[in-house]
Amino acid sequence: MSFTKTYDGAEPVRINKWLGQSGVCSRREADALIADGLVSIDGEVVRDAGRKLEPGQTLTLSDAATAQLAEGVTVVIHKPVGYVSGQPEPDKLPAIRLISAGTQVGPGEVPGDVSLPPIGRLDEDSRGLLMLSSDGVVAKAVIGPQSDLDKEYLVRVSGDITEKKLKMLRHGLMLDGRQLKPAYVSRMESHRLKFILREGRNRQIRRMCEMVDLEVTDLLRVRIGPLKLDNLPEGKWRMLTAEEREALVGG
């Protein structure tokens, strides 16, 4: 399946630089694809490695090019409490320990000797949807500086929930001296809230709740953009599907 994207920058940019910044491939890989005649601009095959992409022009990588850029591995985990997302302290359990044939749901081979860093954090005392991936394009789509994917959480709290506190949670709080982006916060049950965020500061929801005298007793992430936790059992994992990857990276 070919890759097509229109350049919306203000100034001309070298093809290899733009592909690298977009997370599609490295500059070296881009130069190799151009040399092989696998890159075109507005339907014209590019032969010059120094060619610049003009604003409004559409770049296409052929099917052969995308095949050469074999996608990395992405797994979806329902992380339980007690596991950490990334590289742990000596006495902590990393989420990647959950990856085994015995905990797999659905098709796909268990990843072998491949590095699978987390795409975004999920605290040790939180549970739910976590992605581990060696796919740079997916990582950039989810946590890159231009990402606008939102994340949805179901949060149980103790304390008195008032409309004033809900308004503060939705807009008006600051963390680490910076204003938080507006959040969607709704009350689901007497002590259960739904949060939808477009940023992921360190322990953000817990710290937000502390600022309005609420204590988080359970935090479950159920969605990252179009990707949903659904009925994946706690402690289990599965491979990201091709359709899910396409939805995450925007085609």
Side-chain angles (χ1 to χ4, degrees), residues 157-166 169 187 189-191 193 209 212-215:
V157 299
S158 63
D160 185 23
I161 300 174
T162 65
E163 278 303 314
K164 181 179 179 180
K165 290 180 180 181
L166 290 175
L169 289 170
R187 188 169 185 166
E189 300 166 7
S190 58
H191 289 284
L193 301 174
C209 288
V212 295
D213 295 320
L214 297 174
E215 180 184 0

Side-chain angles (χ1 to χ4, degrees), residues 119-139:
I119 300 181
R121 61 172 67 92
L122 191 60
D123 299 325
E124 181 181 5
D125 45 2
S126 300
R127 59 195 180 97
L129 180 60
L130 177 66
M131 300 169 65
L132 304 180
S133 181
S134 61
D135 189 328
V137 178
V138 171

Side-chain angles (χ1 to χ4, degrees), residues 32-51:
L33 295 177
I34 292 172
D36 291 340
L38 303 180
V39 180
S40 61
I41 294 178
D42 291 342
E44 176 189 352
V45 175
V46 177
R47 300 290 182 182
D48 177 11
R51 173 79 174 270

Side-chain angles (χ1 to χ4, degrees), residues 83-110:
Y83 287 80
V84 296
S85 302
Q87 190 64 33
E89 300 291 331
D91 60 339
K92 302 292 185 179
L93 285 171
I96 198 167
R97 292 264 191 95
L98 294 165
I99 308 298
S100 70
T103 55
Q104 183 174 5
V105 173
E109 294 185 8
V110 179

Side-chain angles (χ1 to χ4, degrees), residues 171-205:
H171 188 73
L173 295 179
M174 295 185 69
L175 283 182
D176 305 321
R178 288 190 295 147
Q179 188 83 28
L180 290 172
K181 293 181 180 179
Y184 174 89
V185 184
S186 64
R187 188 169 185 166
M188 301 180 65
E189 300 166 7
S190 58
H191 289 284
R192 202 173 184 213
L193 301 174
K194 177 193 289 187
F195 280 73
I196 299 178
L197 305 180
R198 288 190 176 273
E199 58 188 331
R201 309 247 197 118
N202 186 34
R203 298 177 68 84
Q204 178 173 337
I205 292 176

Side-chain angles (χ1 to χ4, degrees), residues 147-162:
S147 175
D148 62 353
L149 296 181
D150 56 14
K151 287 87 174 177
E152 181 177 340
Y153 304 81
L154 303 181
V155 183
R156 190 171 295 278
V157 299
S158 63
D160 185 23
I161 300 174
T162 65

